[in-house]
Amino acid sequence: VREAYVADEGHVLCSIDYSYIELVSAAQKCLDLFGQSVLADKINAGFDPHAYLGAGLARKLEPSAFKASANDDENYLSFLEQKKANPPWYKHWRTLAKPTGLGLPGGLGAARFVAYAKSQFGVDLIKIAGSREAAVELAKALKQEWLDLYPEFKAYFEWVNRDCIDV
């Protein structure tokens, strides 16, 4: 028998799952703070932000898979074609994008990111990179590509460091 939650008399329990809600709220925060957000632009244009980042990560770390002249949006469209043409490859890069896009806005450093990726998403950067040291370097490369795709987060981290205080 599984646990069950029962609402108090006169109340209703509700569960809602929005696609990539964490990214939506991060993009909105950047819009509110800076008046622009590439992430918000991509979400509003109907792009899958995990696939968009996965495409960027794949292009940076496996450049032979893409045309060198492709811009980020063309790269994304080419990446989406691999969903049917090469599902394991597509899934690898999109899955790698999840801890990157979801963990980095929270301020994870490289070493903690390695642990977070494995514990929360089953992405073993040590296995991928070959050693813990190489995994930390890979985490740094993932962060740089994320910042290149979504430059508003450079300003976001400046804002956090300048205006946010621990209480």
Side-chain angles (χ1 to χ4, degrees):
V1 176
R2 298 176 68 182
E3 291 183 20
Y5 295 95
V6 178
D8 292 338
E9 185 75 29
H11 292 85
V12 176
L13 295 177
C14 181
S15 176
I16 300 171
D17 184 16
Y18 288 95
S19 295
Y20 41 81
I21 188 66
E22 299 90 344
L23 298 178
V24 171
S25 54
Q28 185 61 53
K29 185 64 178 179
C30 289
L31 280 175
D32 292 345
L33 288 169
F34 315 119
Q36 66 82 33
S37 168
V38 174
L39 179 57
D41 293 344
K42 298 309 169 195
I43 291 169
N44 289 333
F47 287 43
D48 169 352
H50 297 308
Y52 192 79
L53 179 56
L57 298 177
R59 183 182 60 199
K60 179 169 185 114
L61 300 171
E62 197 176 311
S64 62
F66 297 94
K67 287 193 266 183
S69 62
N71 66 34
D72 293 334
D73 290 358
E74 292 168 337
N75 186 57
Y76 167 75
L77 295 174
S78 175
F79 181 76
L80 289 181
E81 292 172 1
Q82 297 308 306
K83 188 173 185 176
K84 288 186 179 178
N86 191 347
W89 185 87
Y90 171 86
K91 183 178 180 181
H92 166 78
W93 290 106
R94 189 177 183 280
T95 301
L96 185 57
K98 286 184 175 184
T100 306
L102 296 170
L104 294 177
L108 286 175
R112 286 206 178 166
F113 176 80
V114 170
Y116 168 79
K118 185 170 183 183
S119 69
Q120 298 300 309
F121 296 92
V123 175
D124 190 343
L125 294 177
I126 295 172
K127 184 177 178 183
I128 292 168
S131 71
R132 177 144 186 77
E133 297 76 22
V136 168
E137 291 307 310
L138 175 57
K140 291 175 184 177
L142 296 173
K143 181 176 184 176
Q144 187 56 57
E145 179 58 22
W146 173 72
L147 288 170
D148 289 347
L149 282 174
Y150 302 121
E152 63 268 26
F153 285 99
K154 294 174 189 168
Y156 173 79
F157 288 131
E158 290 172 8
W159 171 77
V160 167
N161 288 326
R162 182 186 65 241
D163 293 351
C164 298
I165 57 169
D166 281 338
V167 179

